[in-house]
Amino acid sequence: MTGSTMTGSAAAGTGAGTAAAGIEAAARLYQAGRMAEAIDTCRAVLAVEPRQPEALNLLGVALFSAGQDAAAREALCEAVRSDPLSPATLTNLGIVLQHRREWPAAARTLRALAALQPEAVTAASRLGVVSQETGDLDGSVRFLRRAAHLVPDASVQWYNLGLVTMLTGNMAAAARALRQAIAIAPDGASAQGQLGQTLLRLGRLDEASRAFHRALRLDPSAFDPTIGLARCGRYRTASSAARASESKTGSKAAPEPGLAVRGALESATGYGYFCQRFIRTLRQRSVPLQAIGIFGHESWKEENLDPPVPAKALVNFLIPLAVERVPGLATVTYTMFEGTRIPPAWRRQSEHSDLVIVPTESSRMAWAAQGFPEDRLRVCPLGVDPEDSDGGSGVPTLVDPRGRLVSSYRHRFINVSDFIPRKNIDGLLRVWLRATARGDDTVLILKLGKGNNPAFAAELGELVLRTEAAVGKRMADAAPVVLINQFLSDADMAGLLRAATHYWSMSHGEGWDLPLSKAGALGLSLIAPRHSSYMDYLDDRVARLIPASVRPAGLPYSTEHYAPFHGLDWWDPDEDAAAGILSAIIRGDDSGRPSARDHLVQGFTWARAAERLLAILDDAGLR
């Protein structure tokens, strides 16, 4: 951080001279690392001259160094109010706000600094970081490019520019920035490794391999170049098999058409789940497969799917930014999106895909709305699992916070979600507070996250407090909520779903809601917003649907963007309508309990999903 701006001369007057002497003394204490004494000395100056800007600035710096972020912020804000044209104070306040993750305020402060010092690299570089955190990736690239041109011989500026440019989907520009970083600092192992990752996305396999080898020579313990080389090896064998297969086409020895697929072979994510389900179903149809994991070194555990097969395409069950191209193979991306329009970065990287396959019409429209060519878009719905994929699991014994068995409640609602703003947990809790009372014969089972977020309790606690304040009612005065925050196997998840009578979503958008569709297949009554993927597999005959309207994607109780959806829209479920649906169920006033079970189990099978996927590839001549 920048320290106090010292003039080296005493100001006129006895009071000013005393203040200057005190500030100089505080600065010496700060530089000596004696923070407590520096803080006391600054406060002594301010007791005499409360708005002295240099004393406020140095106080803020010392407080920040002592770990008192909130007090540092207050002192530096006062310093800026006292002297709004001080570059040192603006720099320090920007750093504190950035550290506290107050992104909009940090951006305003750093923009003011950039206006005062347009040729200084600090504001441009930090604005690049702040813009990235808010999701404004294109803005981040502009600031980081400016920082790199202001200090063209600083390798770190080009490296940072390369990393963020990768996130925008402009891989060629990212490679140029990383090469510039390497030209300035040839011993940078990280830059070599990132260059390899970028080149793989461009399909330049040999160049990527050389970059990974250089990175490992510089840092033999580096993990990313190691797994990068593993993928290079898998891609080479797949590419060679494709060339060999092409040479045999039309001969009596022509091999049966197969597929190379890449995805999360070992992941508990949604993408991992449907990738694994597709592979199992295709193998049941005896389709020759080569399965390549995200990192490259993973193997399909159920049988040997490592060897290459005759294939024309690599099917990626991944988001577009994770897709890597393989020479000689067409690039197919099976993915989805949860808003009305995909991010510009996804649009840029999707350009490298010969086909983009999505599970619902909602996702197809999101790609088309961002200008992706519709003749390269296809829809292939996912399957729904009525069975327990791990062989069956019993219903767990759950007890609510008041000691009552969950199974004893007449109406048992459940929601399974990652703890992220898109899932609209704040909206769900607001509706629960409004629609239920302490004495109601109902309970909410809330399964949030996978137990791997150390800040979960604090973040949820803050969200609950804000929700109680917004509604004007405490959670203790509503029906009970049973909270589960841990990883569950597929079988345990099925058992948990069976503990409920209703599955209820208030999500702002879904590419395909796996827990809800599973719950419907198990016979639970479904309540969901009338938007996004829900419209492809639900209707008023089989579910209670909540009206929804489009609005900008933002954070709960904030005007800030939700970073992954920066500048994009999603849907806002009508909370009055949702509260009415819940109240009718609890009071027994609704018109019955629709079931989606037969509709989902018969209409959305994994066998049908696999057949549709193969038909899409056959029609495109990619198998």
Side-chain angles (χ1 to χ4, degrees), residues 299-377:
S299 293
W300 184 251
K301 295 180 179 179
E302 298 175 18
E303 58 181 304
N304 183 10
L305 298 183
D306 287 347
V309 298
K312 288 187 176 181
L314 176 63
V315 181
N316 297 270
F317 295 102
L318 297 166
I319 64 170
L321 292 179
V323 171
E324 296 171 345
R325 297 156 66 190
V326 176
L329 292 176
T331 302
V332 178
T333 303
Y334 190 112
T335 185
M336 61 188 69
F337 194 65
E338 303 90 357
T340 62
R341 184 165 45 95
I342 63 171
W346 284 35
R347 167 69 170 82
R348 294 186 192 111
Q349 185 61 6
S350 294
E351 281 297 320
H352 299 304
S353 291
D354 297 88
L355 279 181
V356 171
I357 304 175
V358 294
T360 65
E361 178 65 14
S362 173
S363 283
R364 191 198 68 79
M365 292 173 62
W367 252 262
Q370 194 61 270
F372 189 80
E374 296 194 48
D375 61 353
R376 284 193 276 152
L377 287 169

Side-chain angles (χ1 to χ4, degrees), residues 206-290:
D206 292 338
E207 292 178 67
S209 181
R210 288 194 292 271
F212 290 137
H213 277 296
R214 286 193 295 268
L216 285 176
R217 282 197 296 270
L218 292 165
D219 181 4
S221 65
F223 177 67
D224 286 345
T226 300
I227 61 174
L229 284 174
R231 294 203 300 285
C232 287
R234 300 294 296 276
Y235 296 160
R236 279 198 184 92
T237 57
S239 182
S240 298
R243 288 195 299 270
S245 173
E246 187 69 25
S247 68
K248 295 179 180 178
T249 300
S251 71
K252 292 182 179 180
E256 182 183 354
L259 286 177
V261 300
R262 179 169 177 246
L265 306 185
E266 301 175 352
S267 170
T269 64
Y271 272 87
Y273 182 83
F274 70 73
C275 170
Q276 295 159 31
R277 291 298 297 175
F278 265 118
I279 291 175
R280 289 190 181 99
T281 308
L282 289 168
R283 288 305 298 134
Q284 291 169 3
R285 295 174 55 91
S286 300
V287 175
L289 287 178
Q290 180 189 8

Side-chain angles (χ1 to χ4, degrees), residues 155-156 158-160 163 166 174-175 177-183 185-199 211-212 214-215 218 225:
S155 174
V156 66
W158 292 102
Y159 176 74
N160 290 338
L163 292 186
M166 283 181 66
L178 290 167
R179 289 188 190 280
Q180 183 65 23
I182 292 167
D187 58 346
S190 294
Q192 295 281 6
Q194 291 297 332
L195 177 61
Q197 305 279 2
T198 305
L199 293 169
F212 290 137
R214 286 193 295 268
L218 292 165

Side-chain angles (χ1 to χ4, degrees), residues 15 20 52 101 143 160 323 342 376 383 468 475 505 513:
Q52 215 294 330
R101 305 181 69 82
F143 289 122
N160 290 338
V323 171
I342 63 171
R376 284 193 276 152
E468 289 178 329
M475 295 297 297
S505 169
D513 193 330

